[in-house]
Amino acid sequence: MESKAIQRLQFPAMVYSDKGGRTVPSGSLNMSCGFMEHKKLRVFVSVPSVKIQQRNLPLKIACSCNKVPASTLKSESFKTPLSEELILKSKSKEVEPYLSGRCIYLVGMMGSGKTTVGKILSQVLCYSFFDSDTLIEEEVDGTSVADIFKHYGETFFRDKETEVLRKLSMTHRHVISTGGGAVVRPINWKYMHKGVSIWLDVPVEALAQRITAVGTNSRPLLHSEVGDAYTKTFMRLSSLFEERSQAYANANAKVSLENIAAKLGQKDVSDLTPTAIAIEALEQILGFLKSEDGYC
């Protein structure tokens, strides 16, 4: 079912090491848990078995959830205190029996950290990670989201987004970072509620600061306002949040960065580490699953 749902997940042969530490290519390697790269999409992969067809040599395969710190991400440069890493791992072990392989969908405004937090969750849970926007870009021959909006329009993009979510809803053990507007279509919630959906709620002021710092060229919905970069970004984000806030509230659980900061004694949500946010996400996931099962 899953291979039919997303046919693009056909990865090339990987490598393994023999007893002497030599790197040897394999004919067919399915990693039980690890990091693989497909075209432009980096994917954390979780597959049930390991198969070697050409050579019968011992394997040395690092499982990301056991041997790689959750904060060690090639796309990020943050450092996480050891205590947070231990809490994260402990919390993931507590969540796993209740999660039972269900997908996790991260929803929230653009710039809320869905991709960064999603990768941390995927590593510690030994799940695969997908960014829905990246999958849409691949569906349109590598065209960027900004260019899809420009040349095909938002309706075309939303149709592709719904199709991607439909396919992902038929799979298991994935963490999916969704686009900021994925919540506006009720049909998308039908697909996302087959898993567990988490809303990353970040103050608009913090979002505007983040996005202004990196630029808005890749954000097609932020190109209509006039004024200085921060002001126009803040104004447009405020408008989008007002339009979408009720839709975000459809998520199974909410992770409020303001609440995390208050709990940790932080004055600024920008001082929170991604791992601290991931820990809160696991806490909220656990709370939802327990309530769903009638434990609280």
Side-chain angles (χ1 to χ4, degrees):
M1 175 75 74
E2 295 185 12
S3 61
K4 292 180 181 178
I6 306 179
Q7 296 181 356
R8 69 176 53 83
L9 301 183
Q10 301 297 322
F11 299 96
M14 300 293 288
V15 296
Y16 59 90
S17 299
D18 63 12
K19 289 183 177 179
R22 297 171 297 175
T23 299
V24 184
S26 72
S28 175
L29 175 61
N30 295 327
M31 295 184 72
S32 61
C33 178
F35 183 88
M36 303 172 76
E37 185 169 312
H38 173 55
K39 296 182 180 178
K40 296 181 180 179
L41 176 62
R42 292 179 183 272
V43 181
F44 297 98
V45 186
S46 171
V47 182
S49 62
V50 177
K51 297 180 181 178
I52 299 297
Q53 292 181 346
Q54 291 185 355
R55 304 202 180 193
N56 187 22
L57 295 176
L59 296 175
K60 288 194 263 182
I61 300 175
C63 179
S64 64
C65 61
N66 294 328
K67 298 184 180 180
V68 182
S71 59
T72 307
L73 302 176
K74 291 188 177 181
S75 61
E76 305 294 338
S77 59
F78 52 82
K79 294 183 179 180
T80 302
L82 178 60
S83 59
E84 283 190 352
E85 292 183 356
L86 294 175
I87 294 170
L88 180 72
K89 189 170 183 178
S90 174
K91 185 60 63 176
S92 72
K93 296 299 182 185
E94 190 177 356
V95 169
E96 282 181 294
Y98 295 95
L99 197 54
S100 301
R102 291 166 67 173
C103 289
I104 297 172
Y105 295 86
L106 297 176
V107 303
M109 292 283 286
M110 63 180 80
S112 59
K114 299 185 294 290
T115 295
T116 300
V117 174
K119 287 180 178 179
I120 294 174
L121 291 174
S122 71
Q123 282 190 313
V124 77
L125 292 169
C126 245
Y127 269 35
S128 305
F129 173 80
F130 289 106
D131 184 305
S132 65
D133 282 355
T134 303
L135 294 177
I136 294 167
E137 289 175 339
E138 288 192 350
E139 286 286 333
V140 193
D141 300 323
T143 307
S144 69
V145 170
D147 283 340
I148 293 173
F149 269 73
K150 180 179 178 180
H151 298 298
Y152 302 99
E154 184 173 358
T155 299
F156 176 89
F157 175 85
R158 297 300 174 199
D159 289 342
K160 290 291 184 182
E161 184 173 59
T162 296
E163 180 61 15
V164 163
L165 292 174
R166 184 189 69 80
K167 292 178 180 179
L168 288 169
S169 73
M170 295 186 285
T171 65
H172 296 86
R173 300 190 66 82
H174 294 153
V175 175
I176 299 109
S177 168
T178 67
V183 297
V184 299
R185 286 190 173 183
I187 186 65
N188 292 347
W189 284 109
K190 173 185 175 181
Y191 300 136
M192 290 191 287
H193 279 158
K194 291 184 178 180
V196 180
S197 53
I198 305 297
W199 172 19
L200 297 188
D201 183 20
V202 183
V204 174
E205 295 86 351
L207 293 175
Q209 290 172 358
R210 291 179 185 180
I211 293 173
T212 302
V214 299
T216 61
N217 290 337
S218 64
R219 311 284 186 177
L221 295 181
L222 296 181
H223 296 165
S224 60
E225 302 293 333
V226 295
D228 66 274
Y230 173 81
T231 300
K232 68 181 183 180
T233 299
F234 175 79
M235 295 298 292
R236 182 57 176 147
L237 288 174
S238 297
S239 176
L240 286 173
F241 181 77
E242 186 175 350
E243 294 172 10
R244 298 172 178 175
S245 58
Q246 289 187 336
Y248 289 133
N250 286 321
N252 297 130
K254 173 182 172 181
V255 172
S256 168
L257 267 65
E258 288 185 326
N259 289 348
I260 302 173
K263 185 162 56 176
L264 298 179
Q266 300 277 8
K267 294 183 179 180
D268 190 341
V269 298
S270 298
D271 294 332
L272 296 173
T273 66
T275 299
I277 299 169
I279 291 169
E280 180 67 15
L282 289 174
E283 186 69 45
Q284 295 300 324
I285 290 170
L286 182 61
F288 165 71
L289 294 175
K290 282 186 173 182
S291 65
E292 188 181 50
D293 290 343
Y295 285 95
C296 58

